[in-house]
Amino acid sequence: MTDYFPGIDTIAYEGPTTDNALAFRHYNADELVEGKSMREHLRFAAAYWHCFCNGCADQFGGPTRTMPWEDADPMQTARNKVDANFELCTKLGIEYYCFHDTDVAPEGETLAESFANFDEIAAYLKAKQDETGVKLLWGTANCFSHPRFVHGAGTSCNADAFAYAAAKIAKAIEVTHALGGEGYVFWGGREGYKTLLNTDMGRELDHLAALLKMAVEHKKKIGFTGQFYIEPKPKEPTKHQYDSDAAACFAFLQKYGLENDFKMNIEANHATLAGHDFQHELEFSAINGILGSVDANRGDLMLGWDTDQFPTDIRETTLAMLSILGAGGFTTGGLNFDAHVARESIDPVDLFHAHIGAMDAFARGLKNAAAIRAGGKLDAFKKERYGSWDTGIGAQIEAGQLDMDALKAYMLDKGEVDANASGRVEMLENLLNDYI
Ligand code: XLS
Ligand code: NI
Ligand code: NI
């Protein structure tokens, strides 16, 4: 094994009282929760782009992070990053990783050269997967960074940009398939607009749907059975992204008859940018049968952009795991840490502190959520709150037995509604805190 993280051993579970910063306090991979190991519940994944490609440059300055895998030759850098990825995942006990085509292999002078680079690195990724047992959770294509995608990809006014994106996506799906990837993500990138003064929204959305339909056909053609996901985000880089939240995505998918081919990849920071709680997006997806995977990060509510911080808020992870467990848990999806270290966290070891904290935060969230479910008080409260729908008039309405005339007659006769009960918001908030 290479040694990009010298002096760091395999990270072990040492329990909540340990002094060791490089140990898990709560994530104990084989510990059973609701009859399933934490490893199987949480299905952690490392995000290639943030771990190995993001030097933490910002608008005011260049990269600050020491990235010892960088070499003057971009293909050598690419091979080094593969080594670093598998070293990181193995040492942390992270079983999955995720990538964009351009994260793993440099773009060439031509599309053909880019594909050749991608194939070469994919073969190396495959060898390292076989050697370590680390697997690909999902792949994706970057159809937003290059200037050719200035007007978008699937929604570009330039038909050639659409064609280029289709070529990249086809290739990325093929490579994901070859690597045994369990899913493939579509994040809108620049699929949106800056101003309606230059934008034909209806036509752009038709084009986006056409691109996704082609992807579904391509998937079938090559025999890829992994799950397709859409990752909602309301803004950034465009002012308005078409896939703005789970509800907008679901409406779009239904309009174009794509609702059985896609699930959601819900990102915590995108949810808050959309003005929703993380849990709202998870719960909306769960009730519609489209909860697929999660980009597990956190935003900063003081800031209006995608800060992609590692998740550390136990209340958030608890509520998220409550919805995920409620939906029956992950099948093809998992928790991908779409997060980067802070610009001032400049050492390779900081990647370990970041992942350890995030994995512990979700381990606590999982245990808390399981305890809440076992306690049964929240469920019982909700059940009772809707009691008026279980019998009498409520049950008849739910069964579709009554029309408006019947309800008019019912209410004229009864005169006033039965007394409302308190929603007990504060009591329930206190109850939640009992578990955190
Ligand atoms: C950007 C997105 C991106 C996707 C993958 O905001 O989160 O990183 O997860 O393209
Ligand atoms: Ni993301
Ligand atoms: Ni994001």
Side-chain angles (χ1 to χ4, degrees):
M1 173 129 58
T2 47
D3 209 4
Y4 287 115
F5 305 100
I8 302 174
D9 288 331
T10 304
I11 306 300
Y13 170 72
E14 293 184 5
T17 56
T18 184
D19 257 357
N20 182 2
L22 290 171
F24 295 117
R25 282 154 178 71
H26 305 278
Y27 180 61
N28 186 8
D30 295 318
E31 186 180 323
L32 298 185
V33 177
E34 295 193 0
K36 209 162 96 175
S37 71
M38 295 180 94
R39 176 204 319 277
E40 289 168 293
H41 272 293
L42 300 168
R43 294 167 57 87
F44 291 128
Y48 215 93
W49 54 101
H50 283 314
C51 290
F52 309 111
C53 313
N54 184 351
C56 293
D58 67 14
Q59 299 94 314
F60 302 98
T64 54
R65 267 181 69 202
T66 320
M67 300 208 283
W69 40 84
E70 282 193 0
D71 189 276
D73 169 14
M75 280 302 276
Q76 189 53 46
T77 300
R79 282 185 286 270
N80 294 347
K81 287 193 296 192
V82 174
D83 291 334
N85 176 56
F86 288 91
E87 187 185 332
L88 179 89
C89 290
T90 305
K91 286 182 168 174
L92 280 162
I94 292 182
E95 294 199 298
Y96 290 93
Y97 69 107
C98 302
F99 65 70
H100 302 79
D101 50 358
T102 49
D103 304 333
V104 295
E107 289 192 80
E109 292 290 314
T110 62
L111 183 61
E113 211 176 292
S114 299
F115 283 180
N117 290 348
F118 195 16
D119 282 334
E120 187 182 326
I121 301 300
Y124 192 41
L125 287 167
K126 179 78 174 67
K128 294 296 274 191
Q129 286 186 187
D130 292 345
E131 180 189 319
T132 59
V134 174
K135 295 166 280 196
L136 180 61
L137 188 69
W138 50 258
T140 187
N142 178 329
C143 297
F144 44 88
S145 293
H146 194 281
R148 76 175 67 87
F149 299 120
V150 59
H151 302 301
T155 62
S156 178
C157 49
N158 179 351
D160 271 354
F162 180 107
Y164 204 104
K168 265 169 78 76
I169 291 167
K171 183 71 184 171
I173 296 171
E174 289 157 22
V175 170
T176 300
H177 180 39
L179 293 174
E182 297 183 27
Y184 184 90
V185 162
F186 293 81
W187 167 59
R190 294 181 192 275
E191 314 292 27
Y193 61 81
K194 168 84 175 167
T195 169
L196 283 174
L197 295 175
N198 68 9
T199 301
D200 185 338
M201 182 162 24
R203 205 166 177 188
E204 291 201 355
L205 286 166
D206 288 349
H207 294 164
L208 183 58
L211 182 68
L212 297 183
K213 277 188 183 150
M214 285 181 200
V216 171
E217 279 161 25
H218 195 69
K219 168 185 173 175
K220 288 182 184 148
K221 197 195 268 181
I222 65 170
F224 176 55
T225 54
Q227 177 65 50
F228 274 178
Y229 308 107
I230 293 199
E231 182 178 321
K233 184 176 185 180
K235 57 185 169 188
E236 195 203 76
T238 68
K239 184 186 85 166
H240 179 91
Q241 300 267 135
Y242 292 132
D243 45 8
S244 55
D245 64 3
C249 289
F250 193 46
F252 168 86
L253 291 172
Q254 290 178 102
K255 174 177 175 188
Y256 294 100
L258 286 162
E259 68 274 21
N260 297 321
D261 296 303
F262 290 84
K263 289 188 173 170
M264 295 298 121
N265 180 41
I266 297 298
E267 177 164 325
N269 202 161
H270 296 182
T272 51
L273 287 178
H276 301 308
D277 290 334
F278 181 23
Q279 198 195 6
H280 167 87
E281 288 291 86
L282 294 169
E283 197 65 27
F284 177 86
S285 302
I287 62 166
N288 289 295
I290 52 168
L291 178 53
S293 201
V294 167
D295 271 9
N297 61 11
R298 117 184 107 98
D300 184 325
L301 294 181
M302 307 283 194
L303 303 173
W305 67 91
D306 200 11
T307 55
D308 285 346
Q309 293 161 252
F310 278 85
T312 52
D313 183 332
I314 311 302
R315 191 175 189 275
E316 279 244 298
T317 59
T318 300
L319 292 172
M321 288 314 301
L322 207 51
S323 283
I324 292 165
L325 291 179
F330 292 122
T331 51
T332 53
L335 294 169
N336 166 47
F337 294 119
D338 190 355
H340 60 84
V341 293
R343 192 164 188 268
E344 47 272 68
S345 298
I346 58 179
D347 293 337
V349 70
D350 290 311
L351 268 184
F352 278 80
H353 293 302
H355 282 92
I356 290 169
M359 292 163 80
D360 269 345
F362 266 95
R364 286 174 73 181
L366 169 63
K367 287 195 266 192
N368 292 345
I372 292 170
R373 282 154 59 86
K377 286 187 187 161
L378 212 54
D379 270 353
F381 184 88
K382 268 195 204 176
K383 175 99 186 76
E384 194 186 324
R385 185 159 185 250
Y386 293 88
S388 72
W389 292 90
D390 293 334
T391 55
I393 193 82
Q396 283 175 284
I397 298 171
E398 276 198 356
Q401 289 164 355
L402 303 177
D403 64 6
M404 285 199 151
D405 275 331
L407 293 177
K408 200 164 63 178
Y410 167 79
M411 226 48 248
L412 281 170
D413 179 51
K414 184 160 181 173
E416 192 45 87
V417 307
D418 284 346
N420 276 307
S422 169
R424 294 272 183 269
V425 176
E426 294 76 13
M427 183 195 81
L428 295 171
E429 285 173 342
N430 297 348
L431 176 70
L432 176 64
N433 276 352
D434 284 346
Y435 288 92
I436 289 173

